[in-house]
Every structure is written in structure tokens, then in C-alpha cells.
Amino acid sequence: MNTLLRNELVVLALVLIWIPGYAQLDPATDLQHAEMKSASRQQLIQTLETRETGSNFDIHYDRMDWTIDPAVNFIRGTVTTHFTALATLDRLAFDFNSGMTIDSIRYHGIRLNNYEQSEAQTLEIGLPGMITSGQPDSISISYHGVPTGGGFGYWVQSNHQGTPIIWTLSEPYGASSWWPCKQDLSDKIDSMDILVTTPNAYRVASNGLLMDVTPVSDTMSRHHWQTHYPIASYLVALGITDYAAYSDYVPVPGGDDIEVLNYVYPENLNSAINQTSQVVPVMQLYNELFGLYPFALEKYGHAQFGWGGGMEHQTMTFAYNFSFLLVSHELAHQWFGDKVTCGSWQDIWLNEGFATYCEGLCYEHGLGTQDWQQWLTGKIGSVTSAPGGSVFVTDTSSVNRIFDGRLTYNKGAMLLHMLRWKLGEEAFFGGIRAYLSDPELAYGFARTDNLKQHLEATSGQDLTDFFQQWYYGEGYPSYHISWDQSSDLLHLTVAQSTSSVATAFFSMPLQILLHGIDRDTMVIIQHAFSGQEFAIPLDFTVTGMDIDPNHWLISANNTVTQQTSALQIDPEKTAIRIFPNPVTSILYFTTPGISGLTYTISDVAGKQMKQGALPGSTLYSVPVTELPQGFYVLRIAFSNVVLSQKFIKVN
């Protein structure tokens, strides 16, 4: 991949990698696209949403004992897995790279020879007897080889300024490329010991706490990492090179400071020291908003690696550099993605949408250098740059779709922002904290419905329609307001068109800023259907208005049309009110509200383009997407009267 063009572009939670095709996008979008984790264009994906490898046993503990020299693209080691049978079984199946060579499989001290490595990237092991449901047991798999499987970093041997490095990045489907595991989103490993023997010149970065470094020969040392927090297989990681090490510390009122252990390239030590400390106020903010850092008894950390972005490996983020965007995004994943992990790649927004929104929360609270409203504008612009797409991932076999920057990251973040607007501060943040602390979810897995239930409980609101429209639905709304003012009442007609036929309407409270000669007033309306009318008492004359001025909603192509009083000019000229004008997709118009009306739309040459009957309402909508760009005339006919108005169609 090309190197990053701008350091600030590196930030998506998992791993942002600078991809040339996204060069025209804003930094945050680059970050998200870059974070396409370890996707592989060639990889065999038998999506883990449906495969059943390991579904009949529950892993409690793994001991990994590897020998790795970063100067040699090779791994040798033994993984011992302790588990409990969930059903009576006589076979075990692990996700594992079929290109690796099995040296031995030992069970109760016996070497097993009844095993099969399949092209589906599984290792099936026949046991000498039955294991009954509920029985604890263990098995050891020794192997060696060169990890393969493609991706942006499942396993990479590279160098920095000539010094060798090996690093891993297993999300979403890459852990099995270098160790035998259960690569699912239903079973976390309760605890792990990770032992890596490597030449003395190198340090090993991994999960949890570094227990010790023990010499095993004149030239080799064993690095022992240990974690007692449950961990998903894709969050297990190794980085091995000649790291320089130092720590930052996050003060915790009434508690012990939290160590932030930094492993950085020696050539970047001075610049890294100046940047990694940015994590201190960010963690303090997240501690306040979401509860104490979830792995406080161990550590947080950064390890530098060669991919243009970052990956939120549990307790130790791997990072290309230490820009504020990257630091804030990846740290947020320790709550959203690591403590509570999406229970399906369909729900990856529970990881990425939250981490992206946390970037914005930092800006809102005065951290970093970006303006909060500009950040929101950029996210809305990204989401509305294309007409369709849901936050819900419909195809988990496509890694590009799972980590779609526009939908998973930006629309996911804005979905949270809209929930905050709809529910209010207390209910929104209270619901998030309840979600994170739920004993059924904490240090486990969650689906979108779990979040929905907690937000409903704290707010008392039914969010079924919201999630149906904004999470499962596609596209976004455009608001079209027609208004006039008589005496002390402001009359609004609020219509809505949508960018995708997949979702007919988006129901949300809508903020409107009313401008007067000497004052402004904010009003909030509950927009429940297109064409809804409102009469708002006012004691000043309105001169104009802005839709959603504080950027709470995903919307675009909004229009505001002031209607001239019918008492001031010929009523036959104003009996039809057209909006928006110019129009791109849906033309709205009002009529006298009597039955027996018909309409026609003609071009300037008089050629009739559309026609139809109008049953007698006062507001109508007519799709005009198919009309070529140009000038048109709408005519309404009833009895012997024909009313007309001109409008412009634009693409």
C-alpha cells in the first residue's frame, strides 16, 4: 500500500490504511476506509456468521508458546486450549490455516494422528473417546510454517529503516491464518498466557501485562504476556521488533493511575513521546462518559506497526503513528469493540460507529483541534454523498462492505448522534453506560437489539421505528418547508423526500431556526409524516429560516420556500404552491383542496410529460426524477379553471 499522504488521515479504529482511491475524501473518511482491517481480495471467506467451527465447546484458557524471529517469515509453536464441552463430542474443530504444518497434537499425553486440515481453513481432530457435555478438557497443537491468507496484515514481515518487524492484524477473519482458534463472535477466551521466544535485540508487544522476560540462551529471550480479561480471537496480537519503550500515566481520582505502555520505533521516539500523551485527557473523558477504562487492572498501550492506521488490539492498540484522530478512535474501541464486542459482523457499527462518534465527542469537549460542527458537517456530507446503503451489514462475506467508511463508520456515528438528539443527554448516555455494564454483555458480545433495549429502558421511548428507518433502512431524508405568516401565526408545511425508495419516510424531531429582523428563535417540531402542517404563534416577523442548524440529523438537499400572501396578488396565480423549486426528485404542491382536480406537467414546448387525477387533498407529491433537466409548467384543472405554475427540474 502507499504511505499515508497526511498523518492526520490515520485513525479508524481497527486499522486505517491509506488507499489511493480515497484521496479525495476528508481525513476522517480516509481513516475509516483505511481501517478496512485485514481484508483480502483473494482470501477464502466462509463467513463466520454461518460456519459452526467450535460451536460445541467453550474455551476458557489458551497458552501460546511460540518461537519467532522477525528477520525470518516463520512461526513455530504450541497452542494449548482448555475448554468445556457443550455437547457430547468425539471430534474438535478449530479454524486454522491449512497451509501450516502440524508437528503434533497431544491429548492427555497421547499423540493423536486422526486429524484433517481442510481447504475450508479448518483443523478437525478425532478424539480417542467421547467427551460428555459439561466436561472440562484440553488439547495441545504444535505446528510451524509461514502464515498466509492475504489481507492487509493478518501476518506481516517487514522492516522499518532496515530493522525487521513482524506484526499481526487479524480482524475480521485472519486469526486462524497464524494460530488454531475459534474465530467466531460468540466465545471469548477467558484468560491467556502468551510466550514468545525471540532474539535478544527485540521486544514483543502483546495483550495484557508483561510478566517477565527470561533469557533462554545467549542470544534468545522469552517474553511472557498474560491477560485475565476475556478476549475475542481477532483481538489477539503480536508485534516484534527493536521497540523503544516508555509509559504515560492516566490519573484516576480515588484510584491507581492507569499505565499507557508505548512501544515505538527508536527512530520515532522523540516525536512519539510528544504525541502519545494525548491519550491522557481522552481516557479521562471516556472514563467520565462511559465508566472506568475496562482493562484498568492490566494496562493500555500502543505498539507501532507498518500499516497506515491503527487496530484496537485489546489493551494494546497497534498504530502507524499517533495522530489525535487515531489515538481517540482506537482508545474508544477498548469500550466499544473490546469490552463489548459486536456479536455479528452485521452489527460492526457497535464497534466502529461508536469509535467514530467518540472522535467527535472529543472535539465537542475541546480536545483536539477540529471544530465540532465542522466534524458533524463532514460526516453528514459523507453519508449523503450516495443515495442508498444501510448501517446494517447485509453481506458479511465482503470485508469492504463490513468496513464501509460511509455506512459503518460515518452513518453509524450519526445514528448515535440522532439517538442522542431524540432521547436527550441523560437518557442517551445513561443507556450507553447501562449497555456497557450489563453483566450479560460486559466482556462479551452484543447485538444491536441489546443496545436498543437499554436506550428504551432509560428513555421510556419505543425505538422500533427509529431502528427500522435509520439502521435497517437505506438513504436519508430531504426536508422541504413551505411557509407564510399571517397575523401572529407562522404556518409551516413540512414535506419530506427520501434518497432511496427502500425507506419511504424518516420520523425525527426537527430543529428549525427562525430569523427575524431583531431576533432569532429556535423551534422544534415532531415530524411524523410528509406534508404535515404546523401553526406556530409568534410575536415577530419572520424573515427566513434554517433547517437543522446544529446538524443533529442526516439530511441533504433541504429547501425553504416562502409563499406570498394570496391577498396581495391575483389569487389564481398563487392558488398552487410549488416546492422545492428547483426540484431534483419529488415535486410537492398545494391545491384549493376540492375534488375533481387533474394535473399535467408539460415542458416549455407544450409536450405533456406527466398527468393524473387529484382526489381532493390539499398537498400532493409527484415523482419527477425521470424528467430531463429543464423548465416545466404544472397545470391544475377543475371546472372551467386552469391554474399554472412554472418550475425547474435539476439533476
Side-chain angles (χ1 to χ4, degrees):
M1 307 301 293
N2 290 356
T3 55
L4 279 176
L5 300 183
R6 291 168 295 185
N7 289 344
E8 290 300 317
L9 296 181
V10 190
V11 78
L12 286 165
L14 309 172
V15 166
L16 320 198
I17 184 168
W18 179 264
I19 298 175
Y22 300 127
Q24 300 304 312
L25 300 178
D26 65 86
T29 301
D30 291 324
L31 163 73
Q32 294 138 1
H33 279 291
E35 185 169 18
M36 296 240 218
K37 311 297 185 176
S38 39
S40 169
R41 294 179 179 84
Q42 308 101 322
Q43 72 181 13
L44 290 170
I45 294 181
Q46 179 183 354
T47 176
L48 298 179
E49 303 295 327
T50 57
R51 70 190 297 171
E52 298 180 353
T53 309
S55 61
N56 54 6
F57 61 93
D58 178 31
I59 295 179
H60 301 301
Y61 168 75
D62 268 338
R63 175 185 172 89
M64 290 91 156
D65 192 344
W66 291 303
T67 298
I68 303 169
D69 182 346
V72 182
N73 191 19
F74 188 83
I75 185 172
R76 180 186 297 277
T78 299
V79 174
T80 300
T81 299
H82 292 248
F83 61 91
T84 297
L86 300 177
T88 300
L89 52 87
D90 61 0
R91 299 181 68 82
L92 295 173
F94 292 88
D95 295 298
F96 193 42
N97 184 347
S98 61
M100 304 297 281
T101 299
I102 302 296
D103 295 319
S104 68
I105 299 176
R106 294 193 174 273
Y107 176 73
H108 294 192
I110 301 171
R111 182 166 181 155
L112 303 182
N113 295 312
N114 181 16
Y115 63 87
E116 180 181 358
Q117 294 175 272
S118 75
E119 292 184 0
Q121 308 304 308
T122 60
L123 170 63
E124 294 199 21
I125 305 168
L127 301 175
M130 302 294 291
I131 304 177
T132 59
S133 179
Q135 178 180 335
D137 217 323
S138 65
I139 195 164
S140 295
I141 302 169
S142 299
Y143 64 98
H144 70 269
V146 179
T148 58
F152 295 147
Y154 290 167
W155 171 280
V156 172
Q157 187 212 20
S158 183
N159 70 84
H160 60 95
Q161 291 197 355
T163 301
I165 179 173
I166 281 177
W167 49 266
T168 65
L169 193 170
S170 297
E171 188 174 29
Y173 301 124
S176 62
S177 69
W178 57 282
W179 63 285
C181 59
K182 278 180 65 175
Q183 194 166 255
D184 64 7
L185 294 175
S186 63
D187 186 12
K188 288 189 175 182
I189 306 160
D190 298 330
S191 63
M192 300 176 67
D193 281 289
I194 300 171
L195 299 99
V196 180
T197 299
T198 195
N200 292 334
Y202 307 116
R203 281 189 167 99
V204 177
S206 194
N207 312 95
L209 287 172
L210 180 62
M211 306 305 293
D212 57 57
V213 179
T214 306
V216 296
S217 71
D218 291 341
T219 60
M220 305 284 282
S221 298
R222 174 173 290 171
H223 299 246
H224 179 192
W225 290 89
Q226 185 179 84
T227 181
H228 290 283
Y229 287 102
I231 184 171
S233 60
Y234 78 86
L235 294 170
V236 177
L238 296 176
I240 308 170
T241 192
D242 64 335
Y243 287 121
Y246 66 94
S247 294
D248 298 304
Y249 291 90
V250 180
V252 176
D256 295 333
D257 292 353
I258 297 170
E259 181 183 15
V260 181
L261 176 63
N262 303 291
Y263 277 16
V264 304
Y265 299 158
E267 63 268 24
N268 299 141
L269 178 60
N270 291 336
S271 61
I273 288 174
N274 292 328
Q275 288 185 296
T276 58
S277 60
Q278 295 178 107
V279 79
V280 174
V282 175
M283 185 180 286
Q284 289 174 312
L285 174 63
Y286 295 169
N287 286 345
E288 179 182 347
L289 293 176
F290 308 124
L292 184 66
Y293 171 66
F295 310 103
L297 295 179
E298 293 184 353
K299 69 155 188 333
Y300 184 54
H302 300 106
Q304 201 161 11
F305 76 153
W307 206 38
M311 171 62 206
E312 69 278 9
H313 297 129
Q314 189 163 303
T315 72
M316 182 164 268
T317 283
F318 281 22
Y320 178 84
N321 66 14
F322 307 102
S323 69
F324 183 84
L325 184 61
L326 183 61
V327 166
S328 61
H329 184 105
E330 303 300 333
L331 175 61
H333 271 306
Q334 301 298 311
W335 285 261
F336 305 102
D338 292 9
K339 179 182 182 182
V340 178
T341 306
C342 63
S344 165
W345 297 114
Q346 293 176 329
D347 297 284
I348 183 61
W349 84 286
L350 294 175
N351 296 15
E352 299 303 341
F354 266 107
T356 303
Y357 191 52
C358 285
E359 301 165 21
L361 291 176
C362 288
Y363 300 133
E364 183 184 19
H365 285 80
L367 304 179
T369 58
Q370 188 168 351
D371 177 77
W372 165 233
Q373 290 297 318
Q374 288 180 345
W375 185 89
L376 289 170
T377 301
K379 293 291 173 265
I380 294 170
S382 169
V383 176
T384 59
S385 64
S390 63
V391 177
F392 174 76
V393 177
T394 55
D395 180 9
T396 57
S397 69
S398 169
V399 180
N400 287 343
R401 176 57 190 91
I402 293 173
F403 299 109
D404 186 290
R406 184 176 72 89
L407 299 174
T408 297
Y409 292 79
N410 294 342
K411 192 172 184 181
M414 285 304 301
L415 190 153
L416 291 168
H417 190 57
M418 290 188 295
L419 281 167
R420 179 182 170 189
W421 164 239
K422 181 176 175 64
L423 304 182
E425 298 288 300
E426 183 176 349
F428 174 75
F429 284 106
I432 299 304
R433 288 189 290 270
Y435 163 79
L436 289 169
S437 61
D438 184 335
E440 296 297 317
L441 307 177
Y443 303 100
F445 300 94
R447 301 296 299 269
T448 294
D449 257 3
N450 300 123
L451 174 65
K452 173 178 175 286
Q453 290 161 10
H454 279 290
L455 293 174
E456 287 178 331
T458 55
S459 68
Q461 296 188 31
D462 183 347
L463 296 176
T464 301
D465 287 345
F466 178 91
F467 279 92
Q468 193 62 43
Q469 293 164 4
W470 291 103
Y471 174 65
Y472 294 104
E474 296 191 35
Y476 57 88
S478 297
Y479 294 97
H480 308 293
I481 296 180
S482 174
W483 69 276
D484 62 19
Q485 189 172 10
S486 60
S487 184
D488 58 352
L489 285 178
L490 175 68
H491 299 277
L492 301 178
T493 302
V494 184
Q496 183 187 118
S497 58
T498 61
S499 65
S500 171
V501 295
T503 307
F505 186 79
F506 294 91
S507 177
M508 282 295 289
L510 178 63
Q511 199 176 57
I512 304 171
L513 179 61
L514 306 177
H515 299 288
I517 296 174
D518 56 356
R519 66 172 126 165
D520 294 340
T521 294
M522 190 77 76
V523 297
I524 299 172
I525 61 171
Q526 300 296 322
H527 193 216
F529 59 89
S530 185
Q532 193 172 3
E533 297 183 346
F534 302 87
I536 301 171
L538 283 181
D539 59 357
F540 68 92
T541 300
V542 173
T543 59
M545 61 186 66
D546 296 325
I547 298 173
D548 189 32
N550 292 314
H551 307 108
W552 284 107
L553 308 181
I554 300 172
S555 69
N557 307 314
N558 301 320
T559 63
V560 175
T561 305
Q562 181 181 6
Q563 302 297 333
T564 306
S565 172
L567 298 176
Q568 296 176 353
I569 60 176
D570 184 354
E572 288 191 0
K573 301 291 186 182
T574 60
I576 304 175
R577 297 177 178 178
I578 290 179
F579 56 99
N581 191 8
V583 61
T584 57
S585 58
I586 305 292
L587 180 70
Y588 294 88
F589 55 90
T590 61
T591 72
I594 59 177
S595 60
L597 303 179
T598 61
Y599 81 91
T600 61
I601 294 177
S602 305
D603 64 16
V604 292
K607 180 181 178 181
Q608 186 171 296
M609 309 297 289
K610 296 179 74 79
Q611 64 176 351
L614 304 175
S617 180
T618 59
L619 179 69
Y620 296 92
S621 62
V622 174
V624 293
T625 305
E626 76 280 9
L627 295 181
Q629 185 166 288
F631 291 88
Y632 294 89
V633 178
L634 170 70
R635 292 182 175 87
I636 305 295
F638 61 100
S639 300
N640 296 320
V641 178
V642 177
L643 307 177
S644 64
Q645 285 282 16
K646 295 179 181 179
F647 67 92
I648 302 172
K649 167 64 169 56
V650 295
N651 293 330

